[in-house]
Amino acid sequence: MRLSCDVELKNRLLPSHGMKGKGRPLRCSLAIGRRGGNSGNGQEGAVFLMVCSAKDKTGTKYKLKGNMEQVFTRFVQEGKATLRLKEPEQDICISKADPLQLKNFLSVLKLGCQGSKLEKVHLSTLTPATSAQVERPKTKMVILQRSDYPIRERFPKGLESLRVNGCSLSRIDSRILGLKHLRALDLSKNRIRTLPDDPGQSTALVELKLADNLLERLPPALCLSSLRNTLQFLDLAGNNLKFLPPQICEMTSLLRLHVANNQLTTLPENFGRLEKLRFFSAQENQMVVLPFSFMDLSMDEVDLSGNCFQLAEQEASASHMQRTSEEFPTLLEVTARSIKKQRVPYTEEDLPRHLHHHLSRVKWCVCSNPCFQPYAKHRVPFNLHRVAHTLVGPTSAPVEGFLCSAFCWSNLQANPNAPWKCKRK
């Protein structure tokens, strides 16, 4: 039976001689078995513990029966344990082991120390460890050429960082989505056109770079997946995105968002919900206006250069209004407002089709109330220094929002900067 883990050997006699061990954990393979030449029938031959490392693949053997002074298992759930031997006077400190495998290993170790009930346990003859058994799991991988991309081999299971650039990938490999420990994924400079709706088992992603691909849309379902709670850095620069889905505003853990060099004309209305966002770059797009919720952000650096922000002089001191023809809300409007305001959960099967479609067209007033029709659009200039410490590009841009009532319109006329607005939901 073998166990791959980190091992540090500590000699207990060194402190008594005024010496201090300077060892450090090494990747090792621990094995329990019998010496070569024993019958191996479970009753004959002593059982040994063998410790193999990259420097000593043949291993060092320690007899088990009557030679184990104590086993410390307090932190076995964390993959840690300490084996205290009588001869030689050493402690074998185990760490970074799989907790389940470690428990099984210690169970067999206990039987080996007792020297009984081993007939039901298959113990093979101790053999030198292979290179794969004593090498540390690969946590970082960089592929910069198509010829280096693994076709038949699997990606190492312990990968935490994967970078695949310039390999002409047209989609995200399903083998990559199966990497449980992946935290940073860089697939920039490929030819990826579509993204999956689900990150698969890669639920620990903190950094996702998809710059310089051929993406035309960001799947809403991907924004609502487990990534909404883990992803902190999203790079979508250099693609063909014409809009960002409103669901991206649910990714409230984002600290960095790069969408430069796309074809964006505006941002989602609830963009201000990204309260943790600190670095935002959207240069070289086609944006003419920012959502009103942009005023809620507080960032370290913003780059909006190369966009088409324009605000006529006559609009600089007054809002631009576009009212619908209806003056009184319909029953459909009242129902939809109540569902949104009370946050009533619903699915497409719960409501009539026309009501569900109407709900998908919700607008949020600056006073935080939902509105569908009638509503009014307003556009005012905004000093970007109010939301960013460092600015690249324009220092002001028009912001556009919606008003649900004449009361909100009168408040806006009284103060175009709208300090009276409530926090948007």
Side-chain angles (χ1 to χ4, degrees), residues 310-321:
Q310 293 182 353
L311 190 64
E313 293 297 328
Q314 61 271 22
E315 295 179 359
S317 60
S319 298
H320 179 63
M321 295 290 296

Side-chain angles (χ1 to χ4, degrees), residues 31-35 46-50 61-64 126:
I32 300 176
R34 307 179 190 278
R35 284 183 183 273
V47 178
F48 289 83
L49 170 67
M50 183 171 71
K61 301 178 181 65
Y62 304 93
K63 189 176 180 179
L64 285 183
L126 293 174

Side-chain angles (χ1 to χ4, degrees), residues 362-377:
V362 64
K363 308 293 182 184
W364 290 96
C365 177
V366 294
C367 70
S368 79
N369 285 325
C371 56
F372 300 85
Q373 287 183 344
Y375 64 83
K377 282 186 180 181

Side-chain angles (χ1 to χ4, degrees), residues 100-137:
L100 183 58
Q101 293 182 9
L102 179 58
K103 289 181 181 180
N104 295 334
F105 185 85
L106 294 178
S107 298
V108 177
L109 180 75
K110 182 178 180 181
L111 296 178
C113 295
Q114 295 174 350
S116 60
K117 299 181 181 179
L118 281 172
E119 61 277 0
K120 295 182 180 180
V121 180
H122 176 69
L123 295 178
S124 58
T125 302
L126 293 174
T127 57
T130 63
S131 298
Q133 291 171 337
V134 293
E135 290 179 352
R136 289 188 179 277

Side-chain angles (χ1 to χ4, degrees), residues 166-227:
C167 294
S168 300
L169 297 183
S170 60
R171 59 181 180 84
I172 298 182
D173 196 328
S174 59
R175 293 174 297 171
I176 296 178
L177 300 179
L179 299 174
K180 297 180 180 180
H181 305 287
L182 197 62
R183 293 178 56 84
L185 177 60
D186 184 353
L187 297 177
S188 302
K189 299 180 181 179
N190 284 287
R191 302 186 63 82
I192 299 175
R193 294 181 178 275
T194 59
L195 297 177
D197 291 337
D198 194 311
Q201 298 183 41
S202 301
T203 57
L205 274 179
V206 174
E207 181 179 304
L208 179 58
K209 296 182 179 180
L210 296 164
D212 299 318
N213 278 282
L214 302 175
L215 295 173
E216 296 184 355
R217 61 183 294 270
L218 181 64
L222 185 64
C223 300
L224 297 176
S225 66
S226 57
L227 298 185

Side-chain angles (χ1 to χ4, degrees), residues 332 351-360:
L332 180 65
L351 303 173
R353 181 175 298 180
H354 68 285
L355 177 56
H356 186 271
H357 177 70
H358 195 69
L359 286 166
S360 66

